[in-house]
Amino acid sequence: MALFPAFAGVSEAADSGGSRKELDWLSNPSFCVGALTPLSQQPEEVPGLVSEKPPLTRSPLKSESSDESDTSQKLRQASRKKKKEKKKKRKHQHHKKTKRKRGQSSGSGSEPGTDVERDRPSRSISKKEPEKPSQENNTAVDPGPQFVWLEDAQALTGGAFRIDTKPDPANWEYKSLYRGHIARYKRKGDSCLGINPKKQCVSWEGAPTEKKPSHKQVERYFTKKNVGLMSIDGIAVGSKSEPSSSEPILFIPVKDSDDAAPPITSWLNPLGIYDHATTQWLQGQGPSEQESKPQDSQPDRESAILKAKVEEFNRKVRENPRDTQLWMAFVAFQDEVMRRPGLYAVVEGEQEKRKRSLRLVLEKKLAILDRAIESNQSSVDLKLAKLQLCRELWEPATLVKEWQKLIFLHPNDAALWQKYLLFCQSQFSTFSVSRIHSLYSKCLSTLSSVKDGSILSHPMLPGTEEAMFALFLQQCHFLRQAGHSERAVALFQAMIDFTFFKPDSVKDLPTRGQVEFFEPFWDSGEPRPGEKGARGWRAWMHQQERGGWVVVNPDEDEEELDEDDPEIKDKTLPKFQTWLGAERSRDQRHWRPWRPDKTKKQTEEDCEDPERQVLFDDIGQSLITLSSPALRFQLVEAFLHFLGVPCGPAVPASCLYLAMDESSIFDNGLLEEKPLTCLTLPFSGVSCVGHVDRFSGQRWTRGHNREGEEFIRNIFHLVMPLFSGREKSQLCVSWLQYETAKVLRCLHTKNKRRVKSQGKNSKKLAKSLLKEPENGSSMRLWQQYAHLEWLLGNTEDARRVFDTALSMVGARELKDPALCELSLLYAQLETELLSDPRGAATSRAVHVLSGLTESTPYRPYAGQVLAVQVLKARKAYEHGLQDCLEESCAPDPVSTGPADRLLSLAKCFMLFQYLTMGMDAAARVYEQVFAKLKGCVLSEASGLGDSSSPQSLASTLEAVTLMYTSLLQFHMKVSVYPLAPLREALSEALKLYPGNQVLWRSYVQIQSKSHSASKTRRFFDAATRSTKCLEPWLFAIETEKMRKRLVETVQRVEGREIHATIPESGLTNRIRGLFEHAVQSDHGSQCPLLWRMYLHFLVSLGNKDRSKGVFYKALQNCPWAKVLYMDAIEYFPDEMQEIVDLMTEKELRVRLPLEELELLLED
């Protein structure tokens, strides 16, 4: 019996005796067939396999020794024992085993070996050979697939492969093979596989034994890991001494500042390779005491400083627990602690592990605030700070409950009410117009009760009445932005009647009692302010006591108003454009509350849209009592400004950014054409009622329809008799400014017919106002009328108006501010007519300005100005300016007269010096005034001055700066002059007045001409860090957008896109970064204008997915702004139905439902 059954045929096939002896060791006499019954067929099958291939060689086996054969025999026996144990275990399994066919004609002897063959799939190798007819051995048995041991067939492994009969369930569960089971290969050659076999082959590889070197991509400085390294202080380096050779060096060598000086060579250190410490050791010396002390590293010193500050704060708050400002400073100090290396680190590297967690900072701040509130139970500031922090941690419902508790404890705090309303107004999940409107009503009624003394537990705080008025205006603008313009106008109408036409019999009652008496008048159907025939609440009350009004039949000859144009002009437009046009048209026409016309026998049922009717329940709780005359006049100004009349400030500073929703703050108007006399209208980015226009629309190019104009005229006629003196003059000037704005709008459209018609109506109004006895001597009214004539192109008529006004005043010698302003405008208009400023010394403008200083009455211009008159006028201006500066900077100014006089005198003197001596002389006048007033302004800001006066020194300096910058712009337009003086003047002024939009417009205009943006960006960065105003953010974004448009314009040739010639330098990413930082600021997150700009910018880039994300983020902060929804419908037409449904859910005003639009389109 052969030792290896697979090679039993080798000995039999040997011919010579020598080969027989060499293979004797393959035979095993002690081998017994009965020992392994299942394997009895294996020796019979293998010789057949070997006989098919006689020239089988075993060259590696011939060189093996007998010791190796013994060892291999032991290994085979051990493996057979293991197979017996596996077989016994498999006998317990009672499933059928499939039979394997051998490819023989008779299948005898194949069944016993089936189990064994199944049990050794990993030890057997099948070698398929092509069947060849053998003439020597014609046996009946045709051998099929045979098996050999892998360890015994080393020479056959060239084409061997394994057969694994065990099923793999992964082939059923997964779509493809496991990647580790697929052999890897390398491509060789340039052609595709199968095309050129001479160049193409496949090389099989095993698993790699060596670990591949990791190729880490170099991380940039802006990655999350490296951003943290920005706050770590670097190693100080210093430059080495310059080389003596004159050859150019390739780089600038640097060295560490801590490097010691090179050692000096001596007998102990002849080569100079020992450092100082080693040299001392060789000499037997030790280091000095200072050197032996270990030097603290920079992080250790910073950590020690921070620990000292923390201990100092803890000691102070422990000694002064009632100091709320100290607690707030301790809370703010936590941000500085987290920016530094780990102060409370227990394990080294904790700073990197916690990644300066925001939640960790919030929790530490909350712990400090809790301790502070325990010691200061009545502190509102501490509780407010806690609520602001908890917005990041608590649920909205929990926050609302905490706010309600705080409001219940402090119902008399108007500032707290303002923050509470702002919080509720900006919560998208709980927002609805009716809910916020009721909160405003509750706030105003509660504060009115506190003011009247009805709530005895809480006294009225100082400034409550002014704060109530600001909250009332904030409510009106909230309703306007939500689309409910009728309610907002009705609120103003009710407040005009409730304030100015209150019957004497109810004045002594508390506010709630007065409101109860006011309700019958509101429901009586009498004309209200702005409507024709309005008489007021007082007249109605008196007439009711006498028996009622006498009904007068209306004039039958009254002209009927023209029918408005159809809402849908073009039905071929897309559906979203049709809806937007119709919605804006209805907003413009239907902003007044609907009232039944008794002359036409209308009733409340005749109203097509019930939302246009305003009930008393919608406005009754919001009525407040104004006792201050200044607030009464501000109410009228606010109503007129709400209607679009340029009158007074737009809205209070507390709610300015909430009401900003249009881009008119970036409109220069005629500033570039006429920098001296351009009409600067105080719109401040707040749109007027009835206008929900596109984002890029210009404010000063649109107006109201005929009914709206009549409404405004009725308001003026109703309120002007209520005032006298300066206030009445201000109303007349505002009316004329409104008419002038309409003339400018007609000039912009270049419609000569409309210009002529509008100019005729405006001049008629101006003459009618001047005919009134009180207005005949009003210089401001004469000034506005003359300017109107000048704009209409009637230069000679305007000069006659100016000369008439100056002649009727007489000689006042620079003592009348109104006269100085009139002369200044006259001189400015004449200066703009000059083509060359070098000949201005003898012009009409110098004659007008020098005539102010003379003691004789004004004489019209005769054609020349003597040099003596110019010298006398200059001396008079110098003395007058010095006197005004001393009076205005007095510790306690008695009135605003010195400030008004200083403003007008400084402006006239600057223009006079510019015309007679040049721009440098005018600059010296400005520097003198600026240096003198700056110290007074700073002291006024610190509380030493009278900052409550309407014309304080701060506004005086601001107006003087505006005059100086406009003069510089005019000079740069007509001649060559450096840009640096204007830039420096604007920079200094904007540091003092970061909220002045006119100054920002001028700054952006001049910086847009510069090719270097680094200085501008640094200035904007400093401005945004030093102030909480939103204007620096807005104008910084506008500046970058202008630069981007400039680059895109350069990259276009004849309207076609070409390759970039100027790199964009990341302007898009910079603008996006500015937007992200701006919307995270205190005022920016709730400013609709900023969100509209952001949305418009992203849409212009074509990134609609990100634009939608910004839109929904804007709704989370400003859910009340209807303009955001309108913009989204324009930008995302596919989402129109969803957005309109969202507006309906939040109760925003939708004037044209989509169902009605479908009906209109069908008709």
Side-chain angles (χ1 to χ4, degrees), residues 86-97:
K86 289 183 181 180
K87 180 182 177 182
K88 291 180 181 179
K89 291 180 181 179
R90 294 202 180 193
K91 285 182 180 180
H92 296 286
Q93 299 176 0
H94 301 285
H95 61 277
K96 293 183 178 181
K97 297 182 179 181

Side-chain angles (χ1 to χ4, degrees), residues 223-289:
T223 57
K224 187 176 182 181
K225 179 180 179 181
N226 293 332
V227 165
L229 301 176
M230 302 292 287
S231 60
I232 299 177
D233 296 334
I235 302 174
V237 296
S239 62
K240 294 181 178 179
S241 59
E242 297 182 357
S244 58
S245 63
S246 59
E247 297 179 0
I249 57 177
L250 299 178
F251 59 91
I252 301 176
V254 295
K255 65 175 183 177
D256 293 343
S257 59
D258 297 334
D259 290 348
I264 303 173
T265 57
S266 61
W267 65 275
L268 285 174
N269 190 11
L271 299 178
I273 59 175
Y274 298 149
D275 58 358
H276 181 64
T278 306
T279 306
Q280 285 185 334
W281 181 79
L282 292 173
Q283 293 177 355
Q285 300 176 0
S288 60
E289 295 181 359

Side-chain angles (χ1 to χ4, degrees), residues 132-422:
K132 298 181 180 179
S134 176
Q135 298 177 0
E136 291 100 11
N137 189 9
N138 295 328
T139 59
V141 180
D142 186 14
Q146 303 299 329
F147 300 94
V148 295
W149 300 111
L150 177 63
E151 292 82 356
D152 301 339
Q154 296 293 333
L156 304 177
T157 57
F161 57 92
R162 298 178 183 271
I163 294 180
D164 189 0
T165 58
K166 183 178 179 181
D168 188 3
N171 294 333
W172 300 337
E173 297 176 3
Y174 303 102
K175 296 182 179 180
S176 62
L177 295 175
Y178 173 53
R179 60 180 178 84
H181 291 165
I182 301 175
R184 290 176 297 173
Y185 63 92
K186 287 185 179 180
R187 293 282 306 276
K188 292 183 179 180
D190 299 332
S191 60
C192 297
L193 188 63
I195 293 180
N196 191 353
K198 295 181 180 180
K199 296 182 179 180
Q200 197 79 16
C201 63
V202 177
S203 63
W204 301 90
E205 290 184 352
T209 56
E210 298 181 358
K211 188 176 181 181
K212 289 186 177 180
S214 60
H215 298 284
K216 280 191 175 181
Q217 189 176 2
V218 179
E219 295 182 348
R220 299 296 301 278
Y221 65 94
F222 50 79
T223 57
K224 187 176 182 181
K225 179 180 179 181
N226 293 332
V227 165
L229 301 176
M230 302 292 287
S231 60
I232 299 177
D233 296 334
I235 302 174
V237 296
S239 62
K240 294 181 178 179
S241 59
E242 297 182 357
S244 58
S245 63
S246 59
E247 297 179 0
I249 57 177
L250 299 178
F251 59 91
I252 301 176
V254 295
K255 65 175 183 177
D256 293 343
S257 59
D258 297 334
D259 290 348
I264 303 173
T265 57
S266 61
W267 65 275
L268 285 174
N269 190 11
L271 299 178
I273 59 175
Y274 298 149
D275 58 358
H276 181 64
T278 306
T279 306
Q280 285 185 334
W281 181 79
L282 292 173
Q283 293 177 355
Q285 300 176 0
S288 60
E289 295 181 359
Q290 296 181 354
E291 295 176 354
S292 60
K293 293 180 179 179
Q295 296 182 355
D296 297 335
S297 62
Q298 184 72 13
D300 294 339
R301 289 196 297 269
E302 292 180 357
S303 179
I305 294 173
L306 287 178
K307 287 182 179 179
K309 288 184 179 180
V310 171
E311 293 174 358
E312 183 70 14
F313 270 115
N314 286 324
R315 183 184 60 80
K316 287 182 178 180
V317 297
R318 186 169 57 251
E319 296 174 354
N320 303 313
R322 300 288 181 181
D323 191 350
T324 58
Q325 297 297 327
L326 182 61
W327 284 106
M328 297 295 290
F330 193 17
V331 171
F333 176 69
Q334 301 307 310
D335 294 327
E336 181 181 354
V337 172
M338 297 307 296
R339 284 195 297 266
R340 297 297 179 180
L343 179 61
Y344 307 104
V346 180
V347 183
E348 185 178 359
E350 184 183 358
Q351 175 191 358
E352 287 75 15
K353 292 181 181 179
R354 64 184 179 181
K355 300 294 184 183
R356 298 181 177 87
S357 172
L358 177 61
R359 189 176 183 87
L360 177 62
V361 182
L362 292 177
E363 291 175 353
K364 291 187 67 175
K365 289 182 177 180
L366 282 178
I368 296 173
L369 286 174
D370 289 337
R371 286 177 53 198
I373 293 174
E374 290 178 1
S375 304
N376 303 273
Q377 294 289 342
S378 61
S379 176
V380 180
D381 295 335
L382 292 175
K383 296 177 182 178
L384 273 177
K386 181 179 178 180
L387 288 176
Q388 291 292 334
L389 288 177
C390 291
R391 295 187 69 170
E392 304 291 338
L393 300 175
W394 292 354
E395 294 293 331
T398 308
L399 270 175
V400 171
K401 291 181 180 179
E402 293 297 325
W403 270 106
Q404 291 174 350
K405 292 178 183 178
L406 189 58
I407 286 293
F408 180 78
L409 294 175
H410 307 278
N412 60 338
D413 194 336
L416 184 62
W417 273 105
Q418 203 266 345
K419 291 182 174 62
Y420 174 56
L421 290 170
L422 188 58

Side-chain angles (χ1 to χ4, degrees), residues 500-757:
F500 296 101
F501 301 98
K502 188 180 299 181
D504 297 335
S505 57
V506 300
K507 286 185 178 180
D508 297 332
L509 297 177
T511 304
R512 182 171 297 180
Q514 296 177 13
V515 171
E516 292 175 356
F517 277 95
F518 183 72
E519 183 176 1
F521 165 72
W522 185 264
D523 294 335
S524 64
E526 289 300 316
R528 300 168 185 170
E531 300 174 2
K532 189 175 182 179
R535 300 178 178 89
W537 182 21
R538 185 188 301 113
W540 178 83
M541 198 82 164
H542 290 325
Q543 196 65 29
Q544 287 296 316
E545 294 173 357
R546 296 177 184 178
W549 296 108
V550 178
V551 180
V552 180
N553 293 327
D555 298 336
E556 297 180 357
D557 298 336
E558 184 179 359
E559 295 182 0
E560 292 291 336
L561 296 176
D562 296 337
E563 293 294 332
D564 293 328
D565 296 335
E567 293 179 338
I568 301 178
K569 298 179 181 180
D570 188 1
K571 295 185 179 181
T572 61
L573 293 175
K575 183 179 178 181
F576 77 96
Q577 292 185 4
T578 305
W579 184 85
L580 287 173
E583 184 75 12
R584 287 167 179 155
S585 175
R586 291 191 177 186
D587 271 324
Q588 187 176 5
R589 292 184 292 111
H590 297 163
W591 53 267
R592 296 171 304 281
W594 187 88
R595 303 285 306 284
D597 191 352
K598 296 181 179 179
T599 60
K600 298 179 181 179
K601 298 182 180 180
Q602 291 181 347
T603 60
E604 294 181 355
E605 287 76 12
D606 295 331
C607 183
E608 297 178 355
D609 188 358
E611 291 290 333
R612 294 184 61 192
Q613 301 184 45
V614 181
L615 305 178
F616 184 78
D617 294 339
D618 298 330
I619 63 167
Q621 298 298 320
S622 300
L623 298 179
I624 58 177
T625 303
L626 298 178
S627 58
S628 171
L631 289 180
R632 289 167 174 250
F633 183 68
Q634 289 180 24
L635 173 64
V636 175
E637 285 188 321
F639 189 20
L640 292 174
H641 197 284
F642 190 81
L643 298 175
V645 179
C647 185
V651 289
S654 59
C655 57
L656 172 62
Y657 302 117
L658 294 175
M660 288 176 63
D661 51 6
E662 68 170 7
S663 59
S664 62
I665 61 173
F666 306 119
D667 296 339
N668 287 327
L670 301 177
L671 181 62
E672 297 182 1
E673 300 178 6
K674 298 180 179 181
L676 287 177
T677 60
C678 67
L679 186 63
T680 304
L681 303 179
F683 289 128
S684 304
V686 180
S687 62
C688 62
V689 65
H691 291 287
V692 188
D693 293 334
R694 299 181 60 188
F695 172 72
S696 57
Q698 292 184 346
R699 166 69 179 270
W700 61 286
T701 59
R702 59 183 183 270
H704 293 292
N705 54 10
R706 183 181 298 181
E707 293 180 357
E709 297 295 339
E710 184 181 358
F711 187 89
I712 294 174
R713 283 197 300 270
N714 293 335
I715 291 292
F716 272 111
H717 288 305
L718 181 66
V719 300
M720 282 180 63
L722 303 175
F723 300 97
S724 61
R726 181 170 181 166
E727 294 174 343
K728 184 175 182 179
S729 176
Q730 176 63 38
L731 289 176
C732 294
V733 170
S734 299
W735 197 354
L736 268 185
Q737 283 184 347
Y738 180 62
E739 295 295 326
T740 306
K742 291 195 289 185
V743 170
L744 287 175
R745 183 166 59 249
C746 296
L747 289 172
H748 180 74
T749 58
K750 298 181 181 180
N751 190 337
K752 294 182 179 180
R753 185 178 178 182
R754 291 187 60 187
V755 171
K756 185 177 180 180
S757 174

